[in-house]
Amino acid sequence: FRVQAGDSQGNWNEIATSLAVTVNRQFWQTWWFACSFAAFLGVAIFSALKRRLTLLERRRAEQESVTRQIILSQENERKRVAGELHDGLSQNLALLSIEMEMLNQDLPTAAGELTNRLQALSAQTKGLSAEVHRISHGLHPAKLTQLGLAVALRGFCREVAAAHKITVHFADSSIPRVLPEDVALCLYRVAQEAVQNVVKHSGAKSAKVELTMDGNAIELNITDDGKGFELNANRANDSLGLVSMEERVRLVHGQFSVESKPAAGTHVRVRVPLPTEGPK
């Protein structure tokens, strides 16, 4: 603070008087407080984000666990129903067909009309037994655990081609017979769903199922020459079960993609990594 005096005639003294005054900053105005506050704010934001991410990760893990349990329950129920169909209804139908044939042999040759009716009933019973066997196999493919994924898918494609007016080609390359159970079941169910969609919705004349090894991963490709569809529209209403297939693949840490356009067919691609220590 500097002071210089003057008289009434306007004469000022040449020597001024000064007083040094120092005003210290408030603590919130200091550089160390600003740095500390910035560090505290950063830590607080980081902690909040970390807690949020941890919560999201926990919820996602819980959702995956629930979804996995639902799928496991579905597969167990399919296995139970398939066993009952195969061991109960299918065998009883087979026995009934045999009894009809034996009864037909015991009838006199004069009973022509009755013989014809028994033969027709026997044929229908055999057809019904075959249909029950097909349904049982669709619910729980025994070949998948006994002979491996490639053999099971080849048989499935052959059955679809025989039951519907469509050509289904199957090709595989160097696929291990023994795979992790969840991986094999995932790929089989996705292929099953995709091929059934081709039959029901695409109007295709032919389809192709390819199973190949890509490094340490298995790749599944299903293509058809059908009418295709608008991908976004079908994802919205899930009319083709895309969400369920994608969820199955996600549970085994795989990649799922669909390419389709109207009048351009559909391509379903799945890539699932195998454990580095090899299948057990």
Side-chain angles (χ1 to χ4, degrees):
F1 183 73
R2 186 169 181 273
V3 179
Q4 188 175 12
D7 57 19
S8 59
Q9 295 179 358
N11 298 315
W12 293 83
N13 66 338
E14 296 179 358
I15 301 175
T17 301
S18 62
L19 176 66
V21 178
T22 301
V23 180
N24 293 325
R25 294 188 178 95
Q26 298 293 333
F27 73 93
W28 61 81
Q29 297 174 315
T30 58
W31 66 268
W32 58 265
F33 179 84
C35 294
S36 300
F37 181 76
F40 171 78
L41 187 61
V43 171
I45 294 175
F46 176 78
S47 300
L49 290 176
K50 186 177 180 180
R51 285 195 299 270
R52 179 63 176 172
L53 291 175
T54 302
L55 180 60
L56 291 175
E57 187 68 25
R58 185 183 300 114
R59 289 180 178 176
R60 185 170 63 180
E62 291 174 353
Q63 183 180 6
E64 286 186 1
S65 177
V66 172
T67 303
R68 187 176 289 105
Q69 289 298 322
I70 291 175
I71 292 177
L72 180 61
S73 298
Q74 290 175 342
E75 293 297 337
N76 288 336
E77 183 64 13
R78 285 183 174 188
K79 184 177 181 180
R80 183 189 66 80
V81 174
E84 291 183 0
L85 286 175
H86 181 269
D87 298 336
L89 184 57
S90 181
Q91 292 183 3
N92 289 335
L93 287 172
L95 290 174
L96 180 59
S97 177
I98 294 173
E99 290 179 1
M100 285 183 177
E101 291 180 356
M102 295 176 62
L103 180 60
N104 185 35
Q105 294 175 359
D106 294 337
L107 287 176
T109 56
E113 181 179 354
L114 183 57
T115 299
N116 292 336
R117 292 181 62 185
L118 278 175
Q119 290 177 347
L121 286 174
S122 178
Q124 291 177 4
T125 304
K126 289 180 180 179
L128 184 57
S129 178
E131 179 66 12
V132 170
H133 178 74
R134 184 189 67 80
I135 294 174
S136 173
H137 177 70
L139 287 172
H140 181 70
K143 292 181 180 178
L144 185 61
T145 54
Q146 297 173 357
L147 302 177
L149 177 62
V151 175
L153 277 182
R154 186 182 297 277
F156 169 72
C157 293
R158 189 184 300 115
E159 292 173 3
V160 171
H164 303 87
K165 294 180 180 180
I166 183 174
T167 302
V168 183
H169 302 281
F170 177 79
D172 68 287
S173 175
S174 304
I175 303 301
R177 188 184 69 82
V178 180
L179 293 170
E181 183 178 358
D182 55 346
V183 172
L185 186 58
C186 168
L187 292 172
Y188 184 87
R189 290 303 185 198
V190 170
Q192 187 181 45
E193 178 75 19
V195 172
Q196 288 175 349
N197 287 336
V198 172
V199 173
K200 294 178 183 178
H201 305 288
S202 73
K205 295 182 180 179
S206 66
K208 186 173 184 179
V209 178
E210 295 179 284
L211 199 61
T212 57
M213 288 295 298
D214 180 18
N216 195 43
I218 296 183
E219 187 166 306
L220 171 67
N221 289 276
I222 304 103
T223 55
D224 67 73
D225 60 0
K227 60 186 179 181
F229 58 90
E230 288 290 348
L231 186 59
N232 292 334
N234 279 277
R235 278 191 178 276
N237 56 31
D238 191 26
S239 61
L240 299 183
L242 298 179
V243 173
S244 62
M245 287 190 284
E246 188 172 11
E247 185 66 18
R248 278 186 176 273
V249 174
R250 188 177 66 83
L251 288 176
V252 292
H253 310 291
Q255 299 172 348
F256 176 86
S257 64
V258 180
E259 297 176 3
S260 185
K261 293 181 181 179
T266 303
H267 179 193
V268 176
R269 179 178 179 271
V270 179
R271 189 175 188 275
V272 178
L274 294 178
T276 55
E277 64 272 14
K280 296 181 180 179

